[in-house]
Amino acid sequence: MFPESLLADRTRAVEVSGVRKVFELSRSLKDPVNLSIGQPHFDVPEAIKNAAKAAIDGNRNGYTVTQGIPELCSRLLADAQARFPAPAQVPPGGERDVLVTSGTSGGLVLALLAVVNPGDEVITADPYFVAYPNVVALAGGKLVTVDTYPDFRLDVDKVAAAITPRTKAIVLSSPSNPTGAVLNAATQKALAELARDRGILLISDEIYRGFHYDGAPQSPATYDPNVLVIEGFGKTYGITGWRLGWAHGPKRLIQEMAKLQQCTFVCAPSIVQWGGIAALDFDVSGIVADYKRKRDLLVEGLKGAFEFVVPGGAFYLYPKAPWGTATEFVTEAVKHNLLIIPGSVFSERDTHFRVSYAATDETLTRGIEILRTLAKKK
């Protein structure tokens, strides 16, 4: 027996992902209706596959510079500078820079390790992405949540009230996982100004930037150059397993994140970075339109049977359980061969559950039928 005394305290602060538990459960079911995993169901575009294959055949299989291959970094930096022009007067270290990371999760870990000291606090909305409590704990910090029920709109006054002398960062996710909620421009501006005025780092997790259905993407970095933005390729191009993300923000912060990457992830996978260049030239508008159609299919199918807020982005719906706790409802769903995620994985409440519509229409239709049947069960 391995002695428990050898384990570091941080291992007790980090929990196994509830989403991964459902993922493992899916392997034990026969032909499950799987609406649980937030992973695009479409095939990776051929041009992106071919670029990665060409990198392998071209012997680009070794380490890259930590920051990322120059060919990709220059494209990403040009994109960031075009979307977020620098103010007329930029102090030294404040100019925008980029870092290619091992997925968006890698970028988030590096950012928090770079700014959070033991005991520092990080504010986020509840519901939140399942990894947030764990990566904050890994950095030695404490996650402070701001309740957004029932409409999942983040109240800036509540965020301000949650700030203490130990607050070091605010983490936003828009569009949100698990709710699909999108922060409007006014809220993003107010949060950027709040963070700036209080001397707090605002981290904007924009992994789902490509999936906005009811308007153009917005970012708090529009309103303050000190906002750190974390983005990724996985969801947009269906390459989640390739682990390719990028961060852009103040050069001084990016320098420290790059230093930490040198001795942890080392660099993002080399061949994947070449695939990323090809991805930047691929038009995803058709994919996004199809996912909007799937959202509308799910919304229409569950209307009248469940309470929910129509999501503005990502590919999730977050309905309220019609009876019992969300965990009880999800447990019953599993008995009907349907895999969904209980809200307790993403929240301090166990009242809602997450449905992913990153699935075929046939799977969605089967899921809708099961959910409507379950809604009438009690």
Side-chain angles (χ1 to χ4, degrees):
M1 175 70 72
F2 184 80
E4 290 290 316
S5 59
L6 291 181
L7 295 176
D9 291 342
R10 70 176 62 89
T11 65
R12 299 174 182 86
V14 175
E15 299 180 356
V16 175
S17 167
V19 177
R20 289 294 154 188
K21 291 178 182 177
V22 174
F23 185 76
E24 293 299 325
L25 178 61
S26 68
R27 299 183 179 184
S28 65
L29 299 179
K30 184 178 180 180
D31 189 28
V33 180
N34 194 345
L35 301 180
S36 66
I37 302 298
Q39 176 164 273
H41 79 293
F42 55 83
D43 289 334
V44 177
E46 288 299 319
I48 301 175
K49 292 181 183 178
N50 291 337
K53 292 175 186 176
I56 295 174
D57 294 336
N59 296 318
R60 291 168 167 166
N61 301 299
Y63 295 126
T64 75
V65 293
T66 293
Q67 194 119 5
I69 58 174
E71 294 84 349
L72 179 57
C73 284
S74 63
R75 291 284 302 273
L76 295 175
L77 183 58
D79 174 78
Q81 290 175 338
R83 286 190 286 139
F84 310 110
Q89 299 295 325
V90 181
E95 60 271 29
R96 207 156 199 84
D97 203 357
V98 303
L99 172 67
V100 179
T101 61
S102 186
T104 51
S105 294
L108 183 62
V109 168
L110 293 171
L112 292 173
L113 288 176
V115 300
V116 173
N117 288 315
D120 284 347
E121 296 173 352
V122 178
I123 297 173
T124 197
D126 181 347
Y128 43 76
F129 174 48
V130 61
Y132 288 172
N134 292 327
V135 291
V136 170
L138 189 63
K142 174 186 175 184
L143 189 70
V144 176
T145 60
V146 174
D147 187 277
T148 65
Y149 291 88
D151 57 8
F152 310 125
R153 295 181 182 178
L154 187 58
D155 187 329
V156 179
D157 289 337
K158 289 184 178 179
V159 176
I163 294 174
T164 74
R166 295 309 304 264
T167 303
K168 206 64 171 294
I170 300 170
V171 179
L172 302 178
S173 175
S174 180
S176 162
N177 176 5
T179 67
V182 174
L183 292 174
N184 61 37
T187 300
Q188 294 199 16
K189 182 175 187 291
L191 287 166
E193 292 173 347
L194 174 66
R196 180 196 63 204
D197 294 345
R198 299 290 188 93
I200 297 167
L201 175 64
L202 178 57
I203 303 173
S204 183
D205 180 351
E206 300 181 16
I207 179 64
Y208 295 99
R209 177 167 68 91
F211 294 91
H212 280 77
Y213 306 124
D214 304 317
Q218 303 287 337
S219 174
T222 302
Y223 310 104
D224 181 17
N226 280 327
V227 172
L228 176 70
V229 179
I230 298 178
E231 305 195 42
F233 291 77
K235 307 289 187 180
T236 307
Y237 304 103
I239 54 174
T240 52
W242 289 20
R243 311 310 303 137
L244 184 64
W246 64 297
H248 52 99
K251 186 179 185 68
R252 183 69 186 91
L253 175 57
I254 293 295
Q255 286 175 335
E256 292 304 311
M257 291 172 61
K259 183 174 70 177
L260 293 172
Q261 178 155 273
Q262 286 178 342
C263 55
T264 52
F265 302 99
V266 181
C267 62
S270 57
I271 59 175
V272 172
Q273 294 187 54
W274 292 100
I277 296 173
L280 293 174
D281 294 322
F282 185 81
D283 182 6
V284 298
S285 59
I287 293 172
V288 176
D290 191 45
Y291 271 58
K292 179 180 180 180
R293 181 188 59 79
K294 290 178 184 295
R295 177 200 68 173
D296 295 343
L297 174 66
L298 184 61
V299 165
E300 188 63 30
L302 298 184
K303 187 185 301 182
F306 293 88
E307 295 179 36
F308 56 81
V309 177
V310 177
F315 30 73
Y316 310 107
L317 186 71
Y318 201 63
K320 185 177 182 180
W323 48 261
T325 66
T327 298
E328 291 169 341
F329 183 80
V330 169
T331 301
E332 186 66 22
V334 171
K335 296 177 183 178
H336 287 72
N337 220 36
L338 172 64
L339 295 175
I340 49 181
I341 309 293
S344 57
V345 170
F346 312 99
S347 175
E348 295 177 11
R349 299 196 190 193
D350 191 18
T351 54
H352 292 61
F353 60 94
R354 192 189 76 176
V355 181
S356 169
Y357 49 91
T360 64
D361 286 3
E362 177 187 4
T363 300
L364 279 175
T365 300
R366 290 171 63 195
I368 289 168
E369 292 174 354
I370 295 171
L371 285 168
R372 293 192 70 91
T373 297
L374 290 172
K376 304 173 184 176
K377 195 170 181 64
K378 292 185 181 179

